[in-house]
Amino acid sequence: MKRIVFFGYRGTGKTAIGTIFARGLNVPFLDTDALIEQKSGRTIPVIFRTDGEEKFRALERDVIAALPPRDVVVGTGGGAVIDPKNMEHLRAGSICVLLKSDLATIERRLARAPRPPLTNLPLKEEIAQVIERRRRQYAASADFWVDTSGTSPQEAADRISFLLKNGSVAPLEREAALQWFADGRVPAEGLIPLKNILTGPDRDVQTRILGIAGWPAAHSRSPFLFNRLFVKYGLNCHYTWFEDSSVETIMQVARDIDAKGLSVTIPFKRDVMACLDNIDDAAQQIGAVNTVVFACGSAYGYNTDWLGIQKPLAGCKGARAVLLGAGGVAAAAAYALTDLDMEVTVLNRTQQKAQALAERFGCRWKAWDAFDGINPDLVVNATSIGMQPDTKSPLRDDQLKKEMTVFDLVYTPPVTPLVAAAQKAGCATISGTGVFIHQAREQFRLFFGIDVPDTVIREILA
Ligand code: NAP
């Protein structure tokens, strides 16, 4: 039997429901908090009081790493989701169920069984604040989810049994979705697993679907990358292509088949925002979403492009930067650079767009030919100049000085004419391939809570 792991905030019913569930399956129920108390010979309030939360989390990590891989039901402490290593251990080969409850219910249950405080706030405010802080981790922990607010533990356990046996999608919706995929442009090799998952006689109802949403999307390397990561991390998921000229249609299909998440690419990064229930602050400011996570009946939007752009620039805080371009990815770059307190000047072929972008992020803007008077430490190319097949450089070779760091966001070809010229001029260079890798790493963390090292992604893509 696959290991079943219950996640959720304190007071959502993990122990009560997990115990009933394990009894029904005739397997042990292991509560990680109880295991920590056994191992340390102290109660959790005492560990918190004497050693603090950090020590508790270290004990929790050890206990989770030692859990049996199968034939067991596990209840996790409410904060176990915070640690990506815990998620890697807990998710491998498991079925993950998130329990949620409304605030009033949690407060009522916790008042009966006091636990150590996590903040100095009154109980109700603490619950609201901590759940909000962990919201993305809880979403990442959900293969299936159940609201336990108005149910008894037995009713909730029955609902979970039903979900694990039948899946979360009705047959008619699965058939309609398969028809949509078949009518679209999913490559032939991509349709075979979809048929098996959605309507095949031996289908596994627990397999979760994710994909790349775009028009076109066929060029994306994400299906190749993510499907290999699923094998490596023991996740029962399949990543496919959601290709359609309407992002509303894509979102409807994704909701109909209870998809776990979407990567979003051209031309939908802006338009998809109107189809979401909640958008993260950075994505809101950038004006683009490239990651959608579905959980607990809602669609959450994030932008991981800016994190991929910022990662290699961590040592360039406060630099004088020129940003070439004012399109979608330039907005993510402007957010990443200004977040590092850089003095940014935007140059773009269409000046009005440079001005509009600069005004949004508190940057300067100038005409394209003003480059020579700026003398930047850092040049970021966020135009599509240099992208195959039009492989040329946005700057003349004599404009590149060896003191500059040159970052080209274009990654096809891997060594662009700008990067080649900058290398020749003795500049430090950063290629766009790293951005794809790091933004995919952040996406995987949003989908599953697991932190994949860059080296693992590089090896898969090599
Ligand atoms: P976009 O919204 O269409 O913006 C394109 C930008 O390029 C605009 O500023 C446009 O200027 C400028 N441009 C296009 N052709 C030009 C030309 N011949 N001369 C001067 N400027 C020109 O595209 P995007 O989504 O921002 O993507 C831009 C590039 O970034 C693409 O090559 C894409 O592959 C790359 N990218 C890389 C990553 C990564 O992971 N490394 C992620 C996303 C995007 P106007 O405003 O004047 O039209």
Side-chain angles (χ1 to χ4, degrees), residues 66-100:
L67 286 169
R70 46 190 306 113
D71 300 324
V72 71
V73 175
V74 175
T76 57
V81 284
I82 299 167
D83 187 329
K85 266 287 162 212
N86 286 347
M87 295 305 284
E88 191 177 327
H89 286 299
L90 290 165
R91 274 196 150 283
S94 307
I95 304 164
C96 296
V97 182
L98 174 67
L99 305 182
K100 63 166 275 190

Short mmCIF file of all heavy atoms in Angstrom, two decimals, residues 66-100:
data_model
loop_
_atom_site.label_atom_id
_atom_site.label_comp_id
_atom_site.label_asym_id
_atom_site.label_seq_id
_atom_site.Cartn_x
_atom_site.Cartn_y
_atom_site.Cartn_z
N ALA A 66 13.09 9.36 8.65
CA ALA A 66 13.15 7.95 9.04
C ALA A 66 11.80 7.24 8.90
O ALA A 66 11.66 6.07 9.29
CB ALA A 66 13.65 7.84 10.48
N LEU A 67 10.78 7.89 8.36
CA LEU A 67 9.45 7.27 8.25
C LEU A 67 9.48 6.10 7.27
O LEU A 67 10.19 6.16 6.25
CB LEU A 67 8.42 8.29 7.75
CG LEU A 67 7.97 9.37 8.74
CD1 LEU A 67 7.18 10.45 8.00
CD2 LEU A 67 7.13 8.76 9.86
N PRO A 68 8.67 5.04 7.52
CA PRO A 68 8.61 3.94 6.54
C PRO A 68 8.04 4.44 5.21
O PRO A 68 7.15 5.29 5.21
CB PRO A 68 7.67 2.93 7.18
CG PRO A 68 7.26 3.46 8.49
CD PRO A 68 7.78 4.85 8.67
N PRO A 69 8.55 3.92 4.09
CA PRO A 69 8.11 4.44 2.79
C PRO A 69 6.73 3.97 2.35
O PRO A 69 6.16 4.50 1.41
CB PRO A 69 9.19 3.93 1.82
CG PRO A 69 9.76 2.73 2.48
CD PRO A 69 9.63 2.93 3.96
N ARG A 70 6.18 2.91 2.98
CA ARG A 70 4.86 2.40 2.55
C ARG A 70 4.11 1.74 3.72
O ARG A 70 4.64 1.66 4.82
CB ARG A 70 4.98 1.46 1.37
CG ARG A 70 6.07 0.39 1.45
CD ARG A 70 6.27 -0.33 0.13
NE ARG A 70 5.02 -0.87 -0.37
CZ ARG A 70 4.39 -0.43 -1.47
NH1 ARG A 70 4.91 0.53 -2.18
NH2 ARG A 70 3.26 -0.96 -1.85
N ASP A 71 2.89 1.29 3.42
CA ASP A 71 2.06 0.57 4.41
C ASP A 71 1.89 1.33 5.72
O ASP A 71 2.02 0.75 6.81
CB ASP A 71 2.66 -0.83 4.69
CG ASP A 71 2.72 -1.66 3.43
OD1 ASP A 71 1.79 -1.55 2.60
OD2 ASP A 71 3.71 -2.40 3.25
N VAL A 72 1.64 2.61 5.60
CA VAL A 72 1.50 3.43 6.81
C VAL A 72 0.69 4.68 6.46
O VAL A 72 0.68 5.11 5.30
CB VAL A 72 2.91 3.78 7.34
CG1 VAL A 72 3.61 4.77 6.44
CG2 VAL A 72 2.88 4.32 8.75
N VAL A 73 -0.02 5.21 7.47
CA VAL A 73 -0.65 6.52 7.32
C VAL A 73 0.10 7.48 8.24
O VAL A 73 0.37 7.14 9.39
CB VAL A 73 -2.15 6.46 7.71
CG1 VAL A 73 -2.77 7.86 7.68
CG2 VAL A 73 -2.91 5.53 6.77
N VAL A 74 0.45 8.66 7.71
CA VAL A 74 1.27 9.60 8.48
C VAL A 74 0.49 10.90 8.71
O VAL A 74 -0.12 11.42 7.77
CB VAL A 74 2.58 9.93 7.71
CG1 VAL A 74 3.39 11.01 8.44
CG2 VAL A 74 3.43 8.67 7.52
N GLY A 75 0.54 11.40 9.94
CA GLY A 75 0.01 12.74 10.23
C GLY A 75 1.19 13.64 10.51
O GLY A 75 2.06 13.29 11.32
N THR A 76 1.29 14.78 9.82
CA THR A 76 2.46 15.65 9.98
C THR A 76 2.11 16.83 10.88
O THR A 76 0.96 17.27 10.92
CB THR A 76 2.92 16.20 8.62
OG1 THR A 76 1.83 16.88 8.02
CG2 THR A 76 3.40 15.09 7.71
N GLY A 77 3.11 17.37 11.55
CA GLY A 77 2.91 18.60 12.31
C GLY A 77 2.57 19.73 11.34
O GLY A 77 2.95 19.68 10.16
N GLY A 78 1.84 20.73 11.85
CA GLY A 78 1.35 21.80 10.97
C GLY A 78 2.43 22.54 10.21
O GLY A 78 2.20 23.06 9.12
N GLY A 79 3.66 22.60 10.78
CA GLY A 79 4.74 23.37 10.12
C GLY A 79 5.69 22.51 9.33
O GLY A 79 6.67 23.03 8.77
N ALA A 80 5.43 21.21 9.20
CA ALA A 80 6.36 20.32 8.49
C ALA A 80 6.53 20.74 7.03
O ALA A 80 7.58 20.51 6.42
CB ALA A 80 5.86 18.88 8.57
N VAL A 81 5.49 21.38 6.49
CA VAL A 81 5.51 21.77 5.07
C VAL A 81 6.54 22.85 4.75
O VAL A 81 6.88 23.05 3.58
CB VAL A 81 4.14 22.33 4.61
CG1 VAL A 81 3.12 21.25 4.40
CG2 VAL A 81 3.64 23.40 5.56
N ILE A 82 7.03 23.54 5.77
CA ILE A 82 7.91 24.69 5.51
C ILE A 82 9.25 24.22 4.93
O ILE A 82 9.87 24.92 4.13
CB ILE A 82 8.22 25.44 6.83
CG1 ILE A 82 6.94 25.97 7.44
CG2 ILE A 82 9.20 26.57 6.62
CD1 ILE A 82 7.15 26.43 8.88
N ASP A 83 9.69 23.04 5.33
CA ASP A 83 11.03 22.60 4.98
C ASP A 83 11.02 21.76 3.69
O ASP A 83 10.42 20.68 3.65
CB ASP A 83 11.56 21.75 6.16
CG ASP A 83 13.01 21.38 5.97
OD1 ASP A 83 13.45 21.21 4.81
OD2 ASP A 83 13.71 21.24 6.98
N PRO A 84 11.70 22.23 2.63
CA PRO A 84 11.69 21.49 1.36
C PRO A 84 12.23 20.07 1.48
O PRO A 84 11.79 19.18 0.75
CB PRO A 84 12.59 22.33 0.44
CG PRO A 84 12.63 23.68 1.04
CD PRO A 84 12.47 23.49 2.51
N LYS A 85 13.16 19.84 2.41
CA LYS A 85 13.69 18.46 2.60
C LYS A 85 12.59 17.55 3.13
O LYS A 85 12.46 16.39 2.73
CB LYS A 85 14.87 18.48 3.58
CG LYS A 85 16.20 18.58 2.89
CD LYS A 85 16.59 17.26 2.20
CE LYS A 85 17.67 17.48 1.16
NZ LYS A 85 17.63 16.61 0.00
N ASN A 86 11.79 18.08 4.08
CA ASN A 86 10.65 17.30 4.59
C ASN A 86 9.73 16.92 3.43
O ASN A 86 9.26 15.79 3.33
CB ASN A 86 9.83 18.11 5.59
CG ASN A 86 10.52 18.25 6.94
OD1 ASN A 86 11.49 17.57 7.20
ND2 ASN A 86 10.01 19.16 7.76
N MET A 87 9.47 17.90 2.57
CA MET A 87 8.54 17.66 1.46
C MET A 87 9.09 16.60 0.51
O MET A 87 8.35 15.77 -0.02
CB MET A 87 8.23 18.96 0.71
CG MET A 87 7.49 19.98 1.55
SD MET A 87 5.97 19.31 2.26
CE MET A 87 4.91 19.33 0.83
N GLU A 88 10.40 16.63 0.31
CA GLU A 88 11.03 15.63 -0.57
C GLU A 88 10.81 14.23 0.02
O GLU A 88 10.41 13.31 -0.70
CB GLU A 88 12.51 15.97 -0.68
CG GLU A 88 13.23 15.20 -1.75
CD GLU A 88 14.69 15.64 -1.87
OE1 GLU A 88 15.00 16.83 -1.65
OE2 GLU A 88 15.52 14.76 -2.16
N HIS A 89 11.05 14.09 1.33
CA HIS A 89 10.87 12.78 1.98
C HIS A 89 9.39 12.38 2.00
O HIS A 89 9.05 11.25 1.70
CB HIS A 89 11.39 12.82 3.41
CG HIS A 89 12.88 12.83 3.50
ND1 HIS A 89 13.67 11.82 3.00
CD2 HIS A 89 13.75 13.73 4.01
CE1 HIS A 89 14.94 12.10 3.21
NE2 HIS A 89 15.01 13.26 3.82
N LEU A 90 8.54 13.32 2.39
CA LEU A 90 7.13 12.97 2.59
C LEU A 90 6.41 12.70 1.28
O LEU A 90 5.49 11.88 1.22
CB LEU A 90 6.41 14.11 3.33
CG LEU A 90 6.80 14.28 4.79
CD1 LEU A 90 6.33 15.63 5.33
CD2 LEU A 90 6.22 13.14 5.64
N ARG A 91 6.82 13.37 0.22
CA ARG A 91 6.11 13.22 -1.05
C ARG A 91 6.53 11.98 -1.83
O ARG A 91 5.78 11.47 -2.65
CB ARG A 91 6.32 14.47 -1.91
CG ARG A 91 5.31 15.59 -1.59
CD ARG A 91 5.31 16.60 -2.71
NE ARG A 91 4.01 17.25 -2.85
CZ ARG A 91 2.95 16.70 -3.42
NH1 ARG A 91 3.02 15.48 -3.91
NH2 ARG A 91 1.81 17.36 -3.51
N ALA A 92 7.76 11.46 -1.57
CA ALA A 92 8.27 10.35 -2.39
C ALA A 92 7.38 9.12 -2.27
O ALA A 92 7.25 8.55 -1.18
CB ALA A 92 9.70 10.02 -1.97
N GLY A 93 6.75 8.74 -3.35
CA GLY A 93 5.93 7.53 -3.39
C GLY A 93 4.65 7.61 -2.57
O GLY A 93 3.99 6.60 -2.35
N SER A 94 4.27 8.81 -2.11
CA SER A 94 3.11 8.94 -1.21
C SER A 94 1.90 9.54 -1.92
O SER A 94 2.03 10.16 -2.98
CB SER A 94 3.44 9.87 -0.04
OG SER A 94 4.61 9.48 0.61
N ILE A 95 0.75 9.38 -1.28
CA ILE A 95 -0.44 10.14 -1.67
C ILE A 95 -0.59 11.22 -0.60
O ILE A 95 -0.65 10.90 0.59
CB ILE A 95 -1.69 9.25 -1.67
CG1 ILE A 95 -1.48 8.04 -2.58
CG2 ILE A 95 -2.92 10.05 -2.10
CD1 ILE A 95 -2.51 6.94 -2.34
N CYS A 96 -0.63 12.48 -1.03
CA CYS A 96 -0.63 13.58 -0.05
C CYS A 96 -2.01 14.22 0.02
O CYS A 96 -2.57 14.62 -1.00
CB CYS A 96 0.41 14.62 -0.45
SG CYS A 96 2.06 13.93 -0.40
N VAL A 97 -2.54 14.32 1.23
CA VAL A 97 -3.89 14.86 1.43
C VAL A 97 -3.80 16.07 2.35
O VAL A 97 -3.28 15.97 3.46
CB VAL A 97 -4.83 13.80 2.05
CG1 VAL A 97 -6.24 14.37 2.21
CG2 VAL A 97 -4.85 12.54 1.21
N LEU A 98 -4.30 17.20 1.88
CA LEU A 98 -4.31 18.42 2.70
C LEU A 98 -5.68 18.56 3.36
O LEU A 98 -6.71 18.50 2.68
CB LEU A 98 -4.03 19.64 1.80
CG LEU A 98 -4.16 21.00 2.48
CD1 LEU A 98 -3.06 21.20 3.53
CD2 LEU A 98 -4.09 22.13 1.46
N LEU A 99 -5.67 18.76 4.67
CA LEU A 99 -6.91 19.04 5.39
C LEU A 99 -6.98 20.52 5.68
O LEU A 99 -5.99 21.13 6.11
CB LEU A 99 -6.94 18.26 6.71
CG LEU A 99 -6.75 16.74 6.59
CD1 LEU A 99 -6.85 16.09 7.97
CD2 LEU A 99 -7.79 16.12 5.65
N LYS A 100 -8.13 21.12 5.41
CA LYS A 100 -8.29 22.54 5.74
C LYS A 100 -9.58 22.75 6.53
O LYS A 100 -10.52 21.94 6.43
CB LYS A 100 -8.28 23.41 4.47
CG LYS A 100 -9.42 23.14 3.51
CD LYS A 100 -9.56 24.22 2.47
CE LYS A 100 -10.38 25.37 2.99
NZ LYS A 100 -10.76 26.35 1.98
#
